[in-house]
Amino acid sequence: MSTINDVSRLAGVSKATVSRVLSGSRGVKEASRLAVLKAVEELNYRPNVIAQSLLSQTTGCIGVICAQDNINQTTGYLYALEKHLSQHQKHLLLRFANSRSEVISALDELTCGLCDDVLIIGARFPLNNLGYDDVILVDCVEADTPNSIQFDHAFAAETACNYLISQGRRQIALIHPDVSGSAERVLLGYKHALENNFLPFNRNLVFMDATSASVALQVLLNNASTLNFNALLVADEQEAQRVITQLQAFNKSVPGDIMVFSLAGSVHLPGIPTIPAIEYSMDAMAARIVSWLSEKTQDVLGACVLRGDLIIPDMRQR
Amino acid sequence: MSTINDVSRLAGVSKATVSRVLSGSRGVKEASRLAVLKAVEELNYRPNVIAQSLLSQTTGCIGVICAQDNINQTTGYLYALEKHLSQHQKHLLLRFANSRSEVISALDELTCGLCDDVLIIGARFPLNNLGYDDVILVDCVEADTPNSIQFDHAFAAETACNYLISQGRRQIALIHPDVSGSAERVLLGYKHALENNFLPFNRNLVFMDATSASVALQVLLNNASTLNFNALLVADEQEAQRVITQLQAFNKSVPGDIMVFSLAGSVHLPGIPTIPAIEYSMDAMAARIVSWLSEKTQDVLGACVLRGDLIIPDMRQR
DNA sequence: CTGTTAGCGCATTCAA
DNA sequence: TTGAATGCGCTAACAG
C-alpha cells in the first residue's frame, strides 16, 4: 500500500499539500491539486485510517456485544444497526457474550482505543458496576447505566390485553418467566388493561416464576375446565412457537380455542403462521442509537423507553 | 485515558522499559518491573491498540461482508466466526451488502488499513474482478478468487437422494432455481444417486429454471396423478417451509404423502417440525477460515470444499 | 539492564 | 499558496 509520501513525491508537492487536497482542499493551487489527484489515481492511494485514528483519537468503530440468549433475534438488531452505522461512516465490531464475565472481557478488548463506543444488547444477567460508564445498554436488565434503551413492557402488555379483549378473549392467561426483571412491568400493564375493561384479575391465570413455561402451560391445561382461558400472553416469539406446539398436542386449536400473543418481536419465517405480537422497530432503535452516538453532547441518552407496535396476523395468509 | 508516558513518569523509568515490561518482559530489573506494574495498576493503563496497529501494520480486524439474501442464515455464520476469531484475538467487523456495488463500497471502506482480511459470505451475484484478490469468498457463486470455501452441492444432492430412496421414496422431485450457479452440481449428484439405485431419470420431476419455486410446485401438483412424486428436494430451509405450507394447502401431508428435504442448512426454531436436511457445520467452516487467517502462508486456501452432514428429524419430536 | 532516538502514516500548526 | 516541523502512542534498534 502506498503512503502519503509516495504521493507527495510523485506529485512533486509536500505531504501537507496532499493532505490538504484530500481533506479540506481549500487554498490549494489548481495545478498542484490536479497533480496530487493524478498521483493518487496512479498509485491507487488511500489514506491509512489507522494513522488518522491515532491522530484523531477516534476510530469510527462501535463495539456491539450481543448477549441475547435467543441468537435468532440478534439478526434484526444487527441488520438495522449496521445499516444506520454505515450511513454515518461508522463500523460495527461484533462480539457475542453469554455471561457477565464474557461481557467484561469483551469490553476489555474493545475499549483499548479500538472502539469509540460500545453497546450491549439483550443481556439477561446483571450488568452493574462494569467499570465502564459510557456503555450503552439496549434491552438489558438491571441497567444502572445512564445510557440505556429499554422497551416499554407495561405498555406492551396493556396493548396486548386490550387487543385480545377486543377480539372477545376475556380470559387471558399470562406466562412470563421473571428472568428479564421486566415481569412486574408486564404484570402492571396486564392488570391495568383488565381494570380498564372491568374484568376481574385471576391470580391462577398468571405464571411469572422462573419455572419453565412448559410446566406453566401444563398447569393451565390441567385446570382448563375451570379456568376457561381463551388467550395466552407469552414473552416472545420463540416461547410462542413452543406453546403453540404444546397446545396443538392437546388438541387445542390456535387461534380458534386459544389465541397466543407474543409480547416481543417475531421471526417472520415464511410458511409459519403469523401470530399477533408486539413488535419493536429495530429501525427506530438503531436510528436513536446512531443519532445519539453522532451528537455525543454531554447530556446522556437517559432512560430512553421504546414502545412497540401491535402486529396482527394478515387474515389473507391464514 | 492514560498513555505510556504517564506510566513511565509515575514509575520513574523510560517508555521503553514500560513497553518491555508489558510485552516480552525479559531483561528487566525486578524493582523497575514492579514499579511499572504498580503504575499501570494505579493509572489503569492499557496500551492503545491503534498506536500498536500503526506500528505493526495489522489491526487484528477481519471484515465480514454478509451478502446472504436469507438474513436469518447469517446468524449461524456470524456466531461461529466470532467465536473462533475472538479465540485468536481477532475482531469481527460486520457489514451487510445486497449487491455487487454494495460489496465494493464495503470493501473500499474496510481495506484502508482497518481490516487485515475480508470475507464475503453467501453472495448470490457475480463477484469477479473485484480488484481485491486477497478476499476470502465463503459460499459465494462465480468465485474466481483463489481463496474460497464452497459447499459440495453434488455430494449433498446425492446424499439426500440416497436417504430418500432408503426411506422408500423413489419418485423424487427437485426444485432448485439456478440462481446459485450450483444447480448443475446439484443435478449431477441427483442423477448420480438415481443411477446408483437403478432408477430412471424423469425430466418432468426437475425444475431448475429461474422461475419461482411456487410455480414449479404448482406444475408438479397439477400433474401429480401421472408423476406420483413422493419426495421433494429443495434448495434451503426457507424454501422448504414455503413448499410445506403450499403442499398442506393442497391436502398433501408432510412427510406422509411427500417428504420434503432441504439441501442447505436449517433454522431450528422450537415448535417447528424438523425436516430432513443437509447441514453444513458452521463451526468447521469457521475453524478452517480462522486457521487459514492465522497461518497466512503464501499458499492459498485453494478451492476448499466443505461437505454437509445428513440431519434426519428426531422421531420422538413428531 | 536501561534510556535515547527514530519512525509507523497522517493532519495540523507555523513560517515563509 | 506552500513546505518543514511537530506529535498522536507505541515499539524496536541502538547505545550506554
Side-chain angles (χ1 to χ4, degrees):
Chain A
M1 207 47 158
S2 49
T3 78
I4 198 173
N5 283 307
D6 305 323
V7 177
S8 75
R9 209 171 306 128
L10 184 60
V13 297
S14 75
K15 297 194 299 180
T17 301
V18 175
S19 179
R20 272 187 276 259
V21 171
L22 265 49
S23 46
S25 186
R26 63 170 183 204
V28 179
K29 207 203 299 176
E30 190 62 12
S32 42
R33 208 180 75 86
L34 290 176
V36 167
L37 257 29
K38 183 164 169 293
V40 165
E41 181 71 20
E42 198 159 325
L43 295 170
N44 188 28
Y45 165 78
R46 285 147 64 212
N48 185 315
V49 292
I50 294 302
Q52 292 178 320
S53 293
L54 184 58
L55 209 54
S56 67
Q57 302 282 39
T58 65
T59 62
C61 287
I62 310 296
V64 174
I65 302 178
C66 288
Q68 209 103 11
D69 44 350
N70 181 358
I71 226 51
N72 277 318
Q73 280 197 335
T74 64
T75 319
Y77 283 102
L78 290 178
Y79 191 79
L81 268 173
E82 195 281 322
K83 205 170 116 189
H84 285 257
L85 285 174
S86 64
Q87 276 172 2
H88 288 71
Q89 0 282 3
K90 292 193 183 299
H91 304 284
L92 194 164
L93 223 73
L94 178 64
R95 290 283 308 236
F96 289 100
N98 298 313
S99 65
R100 185 185 155 89
S101 65
E102 280 185 29
V103 165
I104 289 177
S105 68
L107 232 34
D108 261 8
E109 295 174 29
L110 259 32
T111 56
C112 301
L114 227 194
C115 293
D116 298 339
D117 292 283
V118 176
L119 317 179
I120 303 178
I121 294 181
R124 288 291 168 272
F125 37 79
L127 240 30
N128 310 319
N129 304 340
L130 282 177
Y132 303 90
D133 53 346
D134 52 349
V135 174
I136 299 181
L137 265 39
V138 181
D139 187 24
C140 290
V141 301
E142 304 191 29
D144 64 348
T145 307
N147 303 315
S148 73
I149 294 190
Q150 297 291 336
F151 295 153
D152 192 337
H153 294 106
F155 182 78
E158 188 172 353
T159 304
C161 289
N162 282 327
Y163 169 73
L164 290 170
I165 292 165
S166 80
Q167 299 294 303
R169 314 283 173 148
R170 299 159 67 89
Q171 309 292 327
I172 306 173
L174 169 59
I175 299 182
H176 196 293
D178 196 9
V179 287
S180 64
S182 61
E184 62 262 37
R185 308 275 318 148
V186 168
L187 191 58
L188 206 72
Y190 176 84
K191 282 181 171 171
H192 203 236
L194 292 185
E195 262 174 45
N196 284 351
N197 288 277
F198 310 107
L199 291 174
F201 172 71
N202 183 350
R203 181 116 209 83
N204 296 322
L205 284 173
V206 175
F207 294 82
M208 312 204 85
D209 38 17
T211 59
S212 84
S214 165
V215 171
L217 183 52
Q218 280 169 41
V219 175
L220 275 174
L221 287 168
N222 288 347
N223 302 312
S225 54
T226 60
L227 288 174
N228 258 329
F229 73 107
N230 52 18
L232 178 53
L233 233 49
V234 296
D236 57 37
E237 188 85 2
Q238 197 177 8
E239 204 66 21
Q241 296 297 344
R242 232 192 305 262
V243 298
I244 288 174
T245 320
Q246 201 173 342
L247 284 170
Q248 286 170 344
F250 279 81
N251 289 320
K252 300 284 185 186
S253 79
V254 178
D257 297 326
I258 293 166
M259 187 175 280
V260 176
F261 192 109
S262 156
L263 283 172
S266 54
V267 197
H268 283 304
L269 233 48
I272 297 168
T274 311
I275 61 162
I278 299 292
E279 278 186 23
Y280 297 90
S281 163
M282 295 293 106
D283 223 51
M285 178 215 61
R288 195 127 181 189
I289 291 173
V290 172
S291 83
W292 187 80
L293 290 175
S294 303
E295 316 276 320
K296 230 11 180 347
T297 56
Q298 282 298 348
D299 60 70
V300 294
L301 187 55
C304 165
V305 174
L306 223 58
R307 290 182 163 177
D309 303 310
L310 172 64
I311 305 291
I312 56 175
D314 183 350
M315 287 309 164
R316 287 170 303 171
Q317 303 253 346
R318 325 213 92 207
Chain B
M1 205 48 157
S2 49
T3 78
I4 199 172
N5 283 305
D6 304 325
V7 177
S8 74
R9 209 173 305 128
L10 183 60
V13 296
S14 74
K15 295 195 301 178
T17 302
V18 176
S19 179
R20 272 188 276 260
V21 171
L22 265 49
S23 46
S25 186
R26 60 169 186 204
V28 179
K29 206 203 303 176
E30 191 61 13
S32 42
R33 208 182 75 87
L34 291 175
V36 168
L37 257 28
K38 183 165 169 292
V40 164
E41 181 71 21
E42 197 160 325
L43 295 169
N44 188 28
Y45 165 77
R46 284 147 64 213
N48 185 315
V49 292
I50 294 302
Q52 293 177 321
S53 292
L54 184 58
L55 207 54
S56 67
Q57 301 282 36
T58 65
T59 61
C61 288
I62 310 296
V64 174
I65 303 178
C66 287
Q68 208 104 11
D69 45 351
N70 181 358
I71 226 53
N72 277 318
Q73 280 198 334
T74 64
T75 319
Y77 283 102
L78 290 179
Y79 191 79
L81 268 174
E82 195 281 323
K83 206 170 115 191
H84 284 258
L85 285 174
S86 63
Q87 276 172 3
H88 288 70
Q89 359 283 4
K90 291 192 184 298
H91 305 284
L92 194 164
L93 223 75
L94 178 63
R95 289 283 307 237
F96 289 100
N98 299 310
S99 65
R100 186 184 154 88
S101 65
E102 280 185 29
V103 166
I104 290 178
S105 69
L107 274 172
D108 262 8
E109 295 174 30
L110 259 32
T111 55
C112 301
L114 227 193
C115 294
D116 298 339
D117 292 284
V118 176
L119 317 179
I120 304 178
I121 294 181
R124 288 291 168 271
F125 37 81
L127 241 30
N128 311 319
N129 304 340
L130 283 177
Y132 303 90
D133 52 347
D134 51 348
V135 174
I136 300 181
L137 266 38
V138 181
D139 186 26
C140 290
V141 301
E142 305 192 28
D144 64 349
T145 306
N147 302 316
S148 73
I149 294 189
Q150 297 292 334
F151 295 154
D152 192 337
H153 295 105
F155 181 78
E158 188 173 351
T159 304
C161 288
N162 282 328
Y163 169 72
L164 290 170
I165 292 166
S166 81
Q167 299 294 304
R169 313 284 172 147
R170 300 161 66 90
Q171 308 292 326
I172 306 172
L174 169 60
I175 299 183
H176 196 294
D178 196 9
V179 287
S180 64
S182 60
E184 62 262 38
R185 309 273 319 147
V186 169
L187 191 58
L188 206 70
Y190 176 84
K191 283 182 172 171
H192 203 237
L194 292 185
E195 261 175 46
N196 285 350
N197 288 277
F198 310 105
L199 291 173
F201 171 72
N202 183 349
R203 180 117 209 85
N204 295 322
L205 284 173
V206 176
F207 295 82
M208 312 204 86
D209 38 16
T211 58
S212 85
S214 164
V215 171
L217 183 53
Q218 279 169 40
V219 175
L220 275 173
L221 287 168
N222 289 345
N223 301 313
S225 55
T226 61
L227 288 175
N228 259 329
F229 71 108
N230 51 17
L232 178 52
L233 233 49
V234 296
D236 56 38
E237 188 85 3
Q238 197 177 11
E239 205 65 20
Q241 295 297 345
R242 230 192 308 260
V243 299
I244 288 174
T245 320
Q246 201 174 341
L247 284 170
Q248 285 171 343
F250 280 81
N251 289 320
K252 299 285 184 186
S253 79
V254 177
D257 297 327
I258 293 167
M259 188 175 279
V260 176
F261 192 108
S262 157
L263 281 173
S266 54
V267 197
H268 283 302
L269 233 49
I272 296 167
T274 312
I275 59 161
I278 298 292
E279 279 186 22
Y280 296 90
S281 162
M282 295 293 106
D283 222 52
M285 180 214 60
R288 195 127 181 190
I289 292 174
V290 171
S291 83
W292 187 80
L293 290 175
S294 304
E295 316 277 318
K296 227 17 180 340
T297 56
Q298 281 299 348
D299 59 70
V300 293
L301 186 57
C304 165
V305 174
L306 223 59
R307 289 182 164 176
D309 302 311
L310 171 64
I311 306 291
I312 57 175
D314 183 351
M315 286 309 164
R316 286 171 304 173
Q317 303 253 347
R318 323 215 92 208

